[in-house]
Amino acid sequence: MSDLTALKTKYAEQIDSADSLQALDDVRVAALGKKGEVSLQMRTLGQMSPEEKKVMGPALNGLKNELADLVEARKSVLEADALNAALASETLDMSLPVDASVGSLHPVMQVMEEMAVIFADMGFAVAEGPDIEDDFHNFTALNFPPGHPARDMHDTFFLKPDADGNKMVLRTHTSPVQIRTMMSQKPPIRIIVPGRTYRCDSDQTHTPMFHQVEGLVIDKTTHMGHLKGCLMDFVSAFFETDVETRFRPHHFPFTEPSAEMDVRYERVGDEIRIGQGDNWMEILGCGMVHPNVLVNCGLDPDEYQGFAFGMGVDRLAMLKYGMPDLRDMFAADGRWLSHYGFSPLLQANLATGLS
Ligand code: DAH
């Protein structure tokens, strides 16, 4: 028995001091391998008397198990050490500093971000929809009946008709996302929809692809006063100064009553100054959602009401940041971008200022 105690001490020490998985395995083989010292001892059991066997059998088995447990425990420690060493030596520094002098945020993206920040502060969520729309969402559900002249005002890009003669369109405005939202969400609804829109038009103030931000609020009590307050707060926050606004009656098929909102401005040389002067500039369309639109989306106009608005992002970006020609925005000229672009590392936020 004292032999076994000595064996145990010897191998326990060796296991404990094994400093690599290989060294540990060598110790394991020396003790418990086929020709290991403990295994050889076990073979002698056959030649023992039954009394001896009764004592030595369990003792040897116990020793074998104890050493096997020690090997396993040491193995876990060595494996953990190996993993930690690998992690330490193989780390990839994902936080490599970006060279912010290369690449910048396009002013349109910056302005959409600013708008999202302002409206988020008023409790609006951001919704999106597809650029390729069907006639129902782009026109019919928005109360443009088939053949209605207002459809022609949109200079629509049509896709090739399908087998049934249905033509998909490149959405002419972000308003179809109003329909998608009302059909998939229960009021109260409070969303803005930033996105690309398309019309067959190109000159100094029009590009075939441009950007809009749509807004929609639906609940049971919202009225025209909320619409005006919301948009007046928005423009002052957006231009980062007090801006006087004016609402003029207008017509859109999907709102009743409808209005356009103008802001006071002045031209000083080449510069346009928003908020002062004697001129008015139209910046967005808005109105109370037309009862027909609510019905088309399965909402009861006697129960629900709300307002909507839509504005051109590119033009607001031009006004805010003094860019003279809309077409330059999408010419992908690196010089233009490095002049008018924004740092991708500085996120627009209300606390430190938008821009
Ligand atoms: N969809 C209109 C356009 O592209 C803009 C618009 C006007 C949107 C009034 C609205 C709105 O939601 O209420 O010209």
Side-chain angles (χ1 to χ4, degrees):
M1 284 299 260
S2 63
D3 283 359
L4 294 194
T5 315
L7 262 186
K8 179 182 162 188
T9 315
K10 174 174 137 189
Y11 283 112
E13 270 172 21
Q14 288 189 14
I15 290 169
D16 203 39
S17 58
D19 56 3
S20 69
L21 287 168
Q22 184 56 54
L24 178 65
D25 204 50
D26 291 346
V27 179
R28 183 189 63 78
V29 171
L32 307 172
K34 254 191 197 157
K35 292 186 183 152
E37 218 169 335
V38 178
S39 313
L40 291 179
Q41 289 266 353
M42 291 188 89
R43 278 198 217 157
T44 62
L45 282 173
Q47 294 126 39
M48 290 182 193
S49 68
E51 287 74 32
E52 256 183 319
K53 225 192 260 179
K54 230 183 196 165
V55 180
M56 286 304 281
L60 271 169
N61 258 323
L63 174 62
K64 188 180 116 189
N65 292 340
E66 251 178 287
L67 291 180
D69 287 349
L70 287 177
V71 169
E72 275 314 303
R74 181 71 189 147
K75 196 170 162 202
S76 307
V77 172
L78 289 174
E79 279 174 349
D81 286 353
L83 180 63
N84 286 336
L87 286 176
S89 68
E90 293 167 19
T91 38
L92 240 185
D93 185 0
M94 305 293 278
S95 66
L96 269 182
V98 176
D99 181 355
S101 64
V102 180
S104 56
L105 201 60
H106 194 285
V108 169
M109 293 300 127
Q110 166 76 17
V111 162
M112 294 218 275
E113 197 64 41
E114 293 177 13
M115 291 176 176
V117 166
I118 297 167
F119 283 111
D121 195 49
M122 299 188 207
F124 284 74
V126 171
E128 286 181 312
D131 288 18
I132 297 176
E133 264 298 2
D134 53 30
D135 182 274
F136 173 78
H137 291 93
N138 198 79
F139 292 121
T140 307
L142 285 162
N143 202 32
F144 291 78
H148 192 280
R151 287 178 175 231
D152 301 335
M153 284 161 39
H154 277 203
D155 301 311
T156 312
F157 285 113
F158 289 97
L159 274 68
K160 281 198 184 122
D162 66 14
D164 301 325
N166 295 321
K167 281 185 277 187
M168 298 291 276
V169 302
L170 292 184
R171 69 177 175 193
T172 57
H173 48 181
T174 40
S175 306
V177 186
Q178 288 189 29
I179 304 299
R180 292 185 175 276
T181 306
M182 283 187 274
M183 294 183 86
S184 64
Q185 245 169 267
K186 272 183 91 94
I189 289 170
R190 208 181 282 181
I191 52 150
I192 57 160
V193 183
R196 295 172 197 263
T197 46
Y198 307 83
R199 292 184 201 175
C200 187
D201 210 349
S202 183
D203 60 32
Q204 193 178 352
T205 52
H206 296 91
T207 47
M209 188 283 302
F210 56 106
H211 299 82
Q212 289 191 338
V213 165
E214 188 84 11
L216 176 70
V217 172
I218 301 285
D219 57 29
K220 295 183 177 174
T221 53
T222 293
H223 54 67
M224 193 86 185
H226 296 127
L227 159 66
K228 289 181 73 173
C230 170
L231 292 175
M232 286 159 69
D233 281 355
F234 163 73
V235 277
S236 290
F238 178 73
F239 286 109
E240 300 177 67
T241 176
D242 283 342
V243 178
E244 207 184 323
T245 55
R246 172 175 93 171
F247 287 79
R248 264 180 305 102
H250 196 73
H251 173 264
F252 299 104
F254 35 89
T255 42
E256 181 56 38
S258 305
E260 279 186 334
M261 187 177 89
D262 301 338
V263 290
R264 192 183 274 288
Y265 81 99
E266 175 177 44
R267 191 181 277 276
V268 184
D270 275 350
E271 200 189 329
I272 287 177
R273 295 199 187 142
I274 302 287
Q276 58 194 63
D278 297 324
N279 308 312
W280 293 98
M281 182 184 305
E282 177 261 312
I283 62 160
L284 59 83
C286 57
M288 300 305 293
V289 176
H290 197 293
N292 289 354
V293 174
L294 294 171
V295 170
N296 290 340
C297 296
L299 295 174
D300 178 358
D302 290 330
E303 193 180 357
Y304 293 109
Q305 58 192 35
F307 65 78
F309 56 86
M311 55 190 137
V313 177
D314 317 271
R315 212 159 69 90
L316 284 169
M318 286 172 74
L319 282 177
K320 183 164 177 181
Y321 294 113
M323 292 162 292
D325 191 322
L326 187 63
R327 288 168 298 191
D328 292 340
M329 288 223 183
F330 310 117
D333 182 334
R335 290 164 303 176
W336 186 92
L337 269 174
S338 60
H339 182 76
Y340 288 111
F342 289 79
S343 165
L345 301 180
L346 295 176
Q347 290 268 326
N349 73 82
L350 291 176
T352 59
L354 287 173
S355 51

